[in-house]
Amino acid sequence: MRVVIGEDNALLREGLVLLLTSAGHEVVAVAASGPEVLPALLAHRPDAAVLDVRMPPSFRDEGLRAALAARREIPGLPVLVLSQYVEETYAVELLGGGAGGVGYLLKDRVGRVDEFLSALERVAAGGTALDPEVVTELLTRRRDAPLDALTPREREVLQLMAQGRDNATIAQLLVVSDRAVSKHIGNIFAKLGLPASDSGHRRVLAVLAYLNGR
């Protein structure tokens, strides 16, 4: 996989380079500031981009803006965004386009190497990867009747779906059968008023669109 990294912290940037190259991926470019990101992405057109939300010069949302601009120029460009904290506005904006190939992780997740690499691979394949804490924030923010109607187990399944987990993985994590997971998902779609025919990352994005109020 060819990857472009956008991260201003030199230690984390070099750590990402080492982690990715050790896993057999190729880092084709690195950017240390917001204005460097878009030109690097357009020049290399990587298989995926790993970008910090806040980058110089203003340390506000340069990385996110570059990601959104790049996806307009290169439709479907897989982007995994990293953030120090749960910032709901950024998560909603990134996911609002309704396309796959997006991820939003807290930087702490990078230290969990297997989880990080798995998330990046899901994003590169056109799926989604949301940090569990981000999903929890989105669920908490939307306090309305449909969500209140979900059982605790259905909420667990919804959170794992939003992270990009497939049915088999959800069954394994919750120690239940695949059939039970399918039943929970059917109940979730019915209660949220979402099309039961949606599958794969489209299904996840449909749920996230609902949670984000889009």
Side-chain angles (χ1 to χ4, degrees):
M1 185 192 311
R2 299 169 65 255
V3 183
V4 167
I5 295 173
E7 170 59 57
D8 64 285
N9 183 296
L11 186 60
L12 179 55
R13 185 171 64 246
E14 292 307 311
L16 285 168
V17 171
L18 179 61
L19 190 159
L20 291 172
T21 53
S22 297
H25 304 303
E26 179 186 2
V27 177
V28 295
V30 295
S33 69
E36 298 175 25
V37 174
L38 184 57
L41 292 173
L42 294 177
H44 295 278
R45 294 181 176 257
D47 299 312
V50 178
L51 307 176
D52 188 4
V53 168
R54 299 188 176 192
M55 298 181 69
S58 70
F59 292 97
R60 296 181 64 186
D61 58 0
E62 285 82 356
L64 176 70
R65 294 298 166 201
L68 295 172
R71 283 172 67 87
R72 286 192 293 269
E73 295 287 337
I74 312 172
L77 173 69
V79 176
L80 179 59
V81 168
L82 303 178
S83 180
Q84 190 70 42
Y85 309 102
V86 176
E87 299 174 280
E88 295 173 31
T89 301
Y90 296 150
V92 170
E93 189 157 7
L94 182 65
L95 293 160
V102 293
Y104 187 105
L105 296 183
L106 296 184
K107 287 187 175 181
D108 289 348
R109 202 68 55 184
V110 177
R112 304 175 189 180
V113 175
D114 290 342
E115 286 186 33
F116 171 73
L117 291 175
S118 176
L120 180 59
E121 288 165 5
R122 285 203 305 276
V123 169
T128 58
L130 284 197
D131 194 286
E133 291 189 35
V134 174
V135 178
T136 299
E137 286 287 339
L138 294 174
L139 280 167
T140 302
R141 184 168 59 86
R142 286 298 304 275
R143 300 298 298 172
D144 54 18
L147 282 178
D148 289 343
L150 299 183
T151 66
R153 176 61 85 184
E154 288 166 356
R155 280 178 168 267
E156 288 180 311
V157 171
L158 177 60
Q159 288 177 314
L160 291 170
M161 287 169 60
Q163 292 169 35
R165 309 291 186 178
D166 59 26
N167 287 16
T169 303
I170 293 173
Q172 184 177 32
L173 291 171
L174 297 182
V175 195
V176 297
S177 68
D178 289 355
R179 184 176 179 180
V181 171
S182 296
K183 182 177 179 180
H184 287 311
I185 290 174
N187 290 339
I188 289 168
F189 278 114
K191 291 178 180 179
L192 298 187
L194 295 169
S197 60
D198 276 349
S199 61
H201 73 267
R202 293 189 195 90
R203 176 186 71 181
V204 176
L205 288 170
V207 175
L208 292 173
Y210 178 86
L211 295 177
N212 294 338
R214 293 299 181 104

